[in-house]
Structures are given as structure tokens and as C-alpha cells.
Amino acid sequence: MIKFYYLPAPNPAKVALMLEETGLPYEAVAVDTRKGQQFAPEYLAINPNAKTPSIVDGDVTVFDSNAILLYLAEKTGKFLPANTPVARGEMLSWLMFVATGVGPYSGQAVHFKHYAPAPKEYAVQRYGYEAQRHWDIVNARLGKHRYMLGDTYTLVDMALWGWARAAAYVLGDEGWSKLTHVKRLLDEINARPAGVRANALKDRFQFKTEMDEEARRFMFPHIAAAAATGG
């Protein structure tokens, strides 16, 4: 059985959706990052980057959400495009676009808008602009196709779904309201039985919700390190 190290955040959500869609048996294990559980030695042995998600599948360990999606899709032979160089090139391009563009810029936009200490005006503007730009590209793509790779639902849509669930928090209601095609895809996946189960996974656990000093120390260790050195 697959062990799935989970937190109710965009990247682990992608993996929860894939596991539910494939029907693979798995055990979800909570990693509460506001309590610092990502730094436990036993977890660092699985994921040296101290992030979620991670999976352990027998003697195979995979971390990074997009790597996990690709591993599970190839393991099951499901939610992949046609096995041609053209289709695979398109799949890898859009999957990495989510991995290196949509996710990081959306994550940094959230950090600077909602959590970073002042002064932060330039960072809020920079990451907010880039997050919106990436989402606009996705929205344009979905304006031409039902799914990211055409007419077939694939792992790329799952990768996007994880972050689309948080798009209003990333962009604000005004920016999010313009992404009508992204919203269409989000609503469709949310309504799928696997989407319902993936969204409900968080209810099995009690994660810390307070952003107190302990949580800030674990979530933003660079700030704590700077304060300790007078930086």
C-alpha cells in the first residue's frame, strides 16, 4: 500500500486527486508543517526538501507533487496522453509549466500578500503580476480546449486543479473572476467522485490552523534566522 504524506495544501491536493482517480490503495499520513513535522528526521529521510507531498510505494520513494503525478500515471497507465512524441512533448511542457510557473508564482504571491513582513510592496506587485500572467495563459488554453491537453482529462488537469482551488486566495476575487475557463475546469473536477473524496481528505485530520510564533518559526525559518542574528 502506498504511504502518502499529506497536508491540505495545493500540491498535496493534486496527489490526493490522482490517488482517488486511479483507485490505488493508500494510507494518508499527516505532516503538520505548522508544528514542524516536516523537519522530523524520519520525514527528512523520505523528503530531504522538507516539503509535502511525498509517497512511499514499496521500495520506491517519490517527492515533488508533479513527479508523483507522473510516477502514478505511468505506474497505472492512466490519465496520460497518447504515447506519441508529439503528445508526450505537449504533456511534459504543460506539466512543467504548472510545476515551474503556476505553482511557484502562485505560492510566492500568497506568501508576500498574506504573510510577509513589510516592506513588501514590490514583491506583492511582482508575484501578483506573474501569478496572474500564468493563470491568464492557462485560461486562454482552456478557452480553446476542454482540458489542458485537448479532449482528454489527464494528470496535467490534476496538477492545475490543486492550485485552481486556491486561485481566489492567490489573485483576489477580482483577478479570479476573469478566469472563467479555469473556473469551469475547477467546478468539473470538484464534481467528480474522486474530486469530492480528495477535497474531503482533510476532514480525517486535525491540522494546526493558528499562525502563531511556533508556526511562523517552522513555516518561515529565514525570518527567524534573520531575527536571531539581528538581520
Side-chain angles (χ1 to χ4, degrees):
M1 179 178 291
I2 293 172
K3 277 197 172 183
F4 167 39
Y5 293 86
Y6 169 78
L7 175 76
N11 286 326
K14 309 171 191 177
V15 176
L17 178 62
M18 172 63 89
L19 287 166
E20 292 292 346
E21 290 282 16
T22 60
L24 288 167
Y26 71 93
E27 174 192 0
V29 180
V31 180
D32 197 329
T33 55
R34 295 192 183 192
K35 293 181 179 179
Q37 293 175 352
Q38 69 273 34
F39 299 116
E42 57 270 27
Y43 186 68
L44 289 174
I46 296 166
N47 188 334
N49 195 33
K51 304 290 184 182
T52 56
S54 307
I55 65 166
V56 176
D57 183 16
D59 60 354
V60 176
T61 298
V62 190
F63 61 89
D64 180 87
S65 59
N66 297 281
I68 296 170
L69 291 184
L70 188 56
Y71 170 80
L72 294 175
E74 291 180 342
K75 175 184 174 74
T76 60
K78 296 179 179 180
F79 304 108
L80 290 166
N83 188 22
T84 67
V86 170
R88 186 166 177 81
E90 185 178 52
M91 180 269 289
L92 289 171
S93 296
W94 284 110
L95 184 63
M96 294 305 112
F97 180 82
V98 175
T100 65
V102 171
Y105 280 109
S106 294
Q108 291 300 316
V110 166
H111 173 73
F112 284 106
K113 183 185 293 185
H114 298 289
Y115 297 110
K120 59 181 183 177
E121 288 77 14
Y122 173 79
V124 169
Q125 182 185 45
R126 158 73 174 166
Y127 286 106
Y129 175 86
E130 284 296 324
Q132 185 73 61
R133 185 179 72 82
H134 281 78
W135 280 109
D136 287 343
I137 292 170
V138 169
N139 195 60
R141 174 76 174 176
L142 290 171
K144 298 176 182 177
H145 306 279
R146 179 177 178 183
Y147 300 110
M148 288 299 293
L149 300 186
D151 295 327
T152 303
Y153 174 57
T154 70
L155 77 166
V156 179
D157 303 296
M158 299 183 205
L160 189 68
W161 174 82
W163 282 100
R165 294 162 65 254
Y169 194 55
V170 174
L171 304 171
D173 290 336
E174 182 177 350
W176 169 234
S177 66
K178 300 174 184 177
L179 303 177
T180 55
H181 303 298
V182 177
K183 182 64 163 58
R184 167 187 57 77
L185 180 64
L186 173 64
D187 290 344
E188 179 179 333
I189 296 176
N190 280 342
R192 293 174 66 90
V196 173
R197 293 192 297 271
N199 275 321
L201 181 58
K202 65 182 184 301
D203 299 331
R204 300 185 197 174
F205 306 99
Q206 286 189 331
F207 290 94
K208 182 175 180 176
T209 58
E210 300 83 9
M211 186 56 78
D212 56 16
E213 283 303 315
E214 178 192 47
R216 280 190 286 271
R217 186 171 69 253
F218 289 129
M219 297 288 289
F220 314 124
H222 61 289
I223 297 176
T229 60

